[in-house]
Amino acid sequence: MIFNSIEFGIFFPLVFILYWSLFNRNIKGRNIFLIIVSYIFYGWWDWRFLSLIFVSSLVDYIVGARLFKEKTNRKRKLLLFVSLFVNIGILGFFKYYNFFIESFVEAFSFFGHSPNISTLNIILPVGISFYTFQTLSYTLDIYYKKLEPSKNIFGFFAFVSFFPQLVAGPIERAKHLLPQFDEKKHINYEALRSGLLLMVWGFLKKIVIADRLARFIDAVYVTPDNASGWPVVFAVIFFAFQLYIDFSAYSDIAIGTARTLGFNLSINFNHPYLSSSFSNFWKRWHISLSSWFMDYIYIPLGGNRKGKLATKRNIMIVFLVSGLWHGASWNFVIWGAINGCFLIFLDKILYKINKKNTNHIISSILVSVLWALSLIFFRSSTFNEAITIFSKIGFSNIESLYNYSLGATEFKFTIFLLIFLMIFEIIQERKVDLYQWFISKPTIVRWSVYLILAVLIIMFGSYGIGVNDSNFIYFQF
């Protein structure tokens, strides 16, 4: 089930009413209800893969309890290995089996051998990378003695499967979200109002802006050999915006949905396209994943404590793993390597540029442009397609700009939406609390804005004919 679907439009109001009217009277009953509705939410896509969430939850609940009691280092490492083997094993099989088999065959074919190893017809379970990392953080935190295990099995299962952030994050840490399943909940009008407003804002970003950008991008990428010049330039720029708007929209809806149920999720984006360096960018982009890699890969490898060379090595390892996390393709690995190089080699230059405050705009534009170029590998299906897109970048064929799914009026409207969004983020970046300003306005003003937002989504939403896929981009990861 996806947020921008009729099914969710029926599902969520029913869950909300039942949650607050019938199943919030005791913690155990509420958590069981959340498990059931979360499994329904996920199983709507394919019920067979619910077994993976159940196994992952059960293994880590048992391992976590045993880890906390065990004093022997050898046994503790063995228990951690069990958790890693089960979780990474499941993730590796479903997501990477065919990738490694194909890479193995291609490597041997290069030397004149052709191993007869067949790939399998494997369906990638939605959200497997997200909930696997979430439950792994629980076991790892107990292993490193940063967390005590949950004594509430229903609360833990609800934590792993919590439907607002189950399939595309934020990737929550147990120490932040898990205790919330042991708390008594009372409906809070302020949380309800802010949550619903955040959901509407997310739907607006997804349906009106991101899906409109997708139409132009898809039209260029479907036949990259036939496009060149300005259409390709705009496709590259538009995809950088689409990826951000689409994913942050999901996070907004997830955070808003959870908030209406009395839960607080972590912020996942913090105006990344206003970053003045790549290190700053990765502190603002997909924060829950970036911090996960920092805590569980970068720091255990030694972080920046073992000299400059080791630091660069650790950064590159993190980015290569990050690329592979995003998808079973060498394109994603290349994308990760490129961004690792940006961080290692370009941040020193950007630091010098940023010594003058007036140069922050220049460095922010440079970071955003280089990031957009790296995303060509992220968006392309193959390495050759990415190279083709790079070769087609130029400043010609301006007359064909409106031939790619968006006519002149709609193209200009799209540009207006992007400018509006960036101005909105610049205002927020200057610490202007737009929400507090908004709720301080008279009721008639606030409800007029609600109505306008709803009308905008209905009237200007990009759906129907010409829209190939309305799924959120990060569902594929």
Side-chain angles (χ1 to χ4, degrees):
M1 191 181 299
I2 58 176
F3 288 149
N4 54 325
S5 66
I6 295 174
E7 291 86 352
F8 184 77
I10 299 170
F11 170 83
F12 177 65
L14 287 174
V15 169
F16 179 84
I17 293 170
L18 292 173
Y19 177 86
W20 287 114
S21 61
L22 299 178
F23 294 101
N24 196 48
R25 296 174 182 176
N26 65 80
I27 294 173
K28 181 180 178 180
R30 182 195 67 206
N31 288 336
I32 292 174
F33 174 71
L34 285 175
I35 294 169
I36 293 171
V37 297
S38 295
Y39 275 41
I40 291 172
F41 178 87
Y42 189 85
W44 203 267
W45 168 70
D46 194 323
W47 63 268
R48 294 173 297 174
F49 293 107
L50 287 172
S51 60
L52 301 181
I53 300 177
F54 179 83
V55 169
S56 182
S57 302
L58 184 62
V59 168
D60 283 308
Y61 182 79
I62 295 172
V63 168
R66 293 287 302 277
L67 262 177
F68 185 72
K69 295 177 181 179
E70 187 58 59
K71 304 299 181 184
T72 307
N73 285 335
R74 186 180 66 84
K75 291 183 178 180
R76 296 185 83 248
K77 289 180 180 179
L78 180 60
L79 286 167
L80 178 62
F81 173 78
V82 170
S83 175
L84 292 173
F85 178 79
V86 171
N87 288 287
I88 301 299
I90 292 173
L91 178 63
F93 174 77
F94 282 96
K95 193 167 184 175
Y96 302 109
Y97 176 84
N98 284 341
F99 168 69
F100 285 121
I101 290 297
E102 290 169 358
S103 298
F104 178 79
V105 171
E106 288 178 7
F108 271 82
S109 298
F110 181 79
F111 295 102
H113 300 282
S114 297
N116 187 21
I117 306 175
S118 301
T119 57
L120 301 177
N121 185 22
I122 300 173
I123 300 173
L124 178 64
V126 170
I128 188 170
S129 297
F130 288 90
Y131 68 73
T132 298
F133 270 32
Q134 180 156 311
T135 187
L136 266 180
S137 72
Y138 169 80
T139 308
L140 288 166
D141 281 350
I142 295 174
Y143 177 79
Y144 290 122
K145 300 180 180 180
K146 297 179 181 179
L147 180 73
E148 292 188 5
S150 173
K151 297 178 181 179
N152 179 356
I153 188 170
F154 296 113
F156 181 76
F157 271 64
F159 156 74
V160 176
S161 63
F162 191 43
F163 76 87
Q165 44 84 231
L166 174 59
V167 295
I171 301 171
E172 289 291 345
R173 304 298 180 82
K175 60 185 177 182
H176 173 247
L177 181 59
L178 187 54
Q180 297 183 47
F181 290 93
D182 293 326
E183 299 170 351
K184 290 184 178 181
K185 304 292 183 185
H186 302 284
I187 194 164
N188 182 298
Y189 177 72
E190 176 57 33
L192 178 60
R193 177 169 59 182
S194 64
L196 289 173
L197 185 61
L198 194 57
M199 289 176 68
V200 172
W201 176 241
F203 282 120
L204 178 72
K205 287 163 61 177
K206 166 62 178 172
I207 298 173
V208 177
I209 308 178
D211 287 350
R212 179 169 270 102
L213 292 170
R215 289 165 53 193
F216 184 93
I217 298 161
D218 292 346
V220 172
Y221 270 85
V222 71
T223 54
D225 289 324
N226 298 332
S228 63
W230 279 109
V232 177
V233 171
F234 273 97
V236 171
I237 296 171
F238 279 4
F239 181 69
F241 277 106
Q242 183 205 359
L243 185 67
Y244 168 51
I245 296 169
D246 188 280
F247 195 14
S248 65
Y250 184 95
S251 295
D252 288 343
I253 299 169
I255 294 169
T257 302
R259 194 175 293 175
T260 64
L261 301 176
F263 292 86
N264 293 313
L265 300 183
S266 303
I267 295 174
N268 218 12
F269 292 91
N270 184 21
H271 319 136
Y273 289 167
L274 301 179
S275 306
S276 57
S277 68
F278 286 100
S279 58
N280 185 240
F281 176 88
W282 287 104
K283 292 176 182 177
R284 295 165 173 254
W285 176 274
H286 201 175
I287 299 169
S288 62
L289 180 64
S290 298
S291 62
W292 199 100
F293 282 125
M294 172 70 73
D295 291 344
Y296 301 115
I297 297 182
Y298 180 72
I299 292 177
L301 285 172
N304 60 358
R305 304 187 303 274
K306 298 183 178 181
K308 294 182 179 179
L309 186 61
T311 299
K312 292 177 181 178
R313 177 204 64 194
N314 297 339
I315 290 172
M316 187 55 69
I317 289 173
V318 165
F319 276 93
L320 290 174
V321 174
S322 175
L324 200 57
W325 179 91
H326 280 83
S329 164
W330 286 111
N331 270 21
F332 288 112
V333 177
I334 294 170
W335 166 79
I338 290 171
N339 280 277
C341 290
F342 286 162
L343 185 58
I344 293 170
F345 300 110
L346 294 185
D347 261 12
K348 292 181 180 179
I349 299 172
L350 292 170
Y351 176 75
K352 293 178 181 179
I353 295 175
N354 291 330
K355 284 185 176 180
K356 294 182 180 180
N357 291 330
T358 53
N359 291 334
H360 280 195
I361 296 176
I362 296 173
S363 56
S364 294
I365 293 174
L366 180 61
V367 168
S368 298
V369 168
L370 291 175
W371 162 254
L373 290 172
S374 78
L375 289 176
I376 292 175
F377 285 101
F378 194 102
R379 176 60 178 78
S380 300
S381 301
T382 64
F383 178 81
N384 289 336
E385 183 179 290
I387 298 303
T388 299
I389 292 294
F390 273 108
S391 68
K392 296 290 185 174
I393 293 174
F395 304 104
S396 59
N397 296 328
I398 189 72
E399 68 281 355
S400 65
L401 198 58
Y402 306 137
N403 297 337
Y404 295 89
S405 189
L406 300 181
T409 301
E410 196 165 9
F411 185 91
K412 293 172 184 177
F413 179 60
T414 303
I415 297 296
F416 166 78
L417 291 172
L418 295 180
I419 293 173
F420 167 78
L421 181 66
M422 289 309 299
I423 291 174
F424 183 82
E425 295 213 346
I426 289 171
I427 294 172
Q428 288 184 311
E429 181 75 4
R430 292 181 176 274
K431 308 302 180 185
V432 177
D433 194 333
L434 294 175
Y435 176 73
Q436 290 299 325
W437 172 82
F438 173 71
I439 64 173
S440 67
K441 299 302 176 184
T443 302
I444 189 172
V445 173
R446 287 188 280 108
W447 279 97
S448 296
V449 171
Y450 298 148
L451 181 61
I452 290 171
L453 290 175
V455 170
L456 284 173
I457 294 172
I458 295 171
M459 290 186 62
F460 297 104
S462 187
Y463 34 67
I465 299 174
V467 179
N468 297 324
D469 188 0
S470 60
N471 279 341
F472 289 85
I473 292 174
Y474 263 70
F475 273 28
Q476 64 184 296
F477 308 132

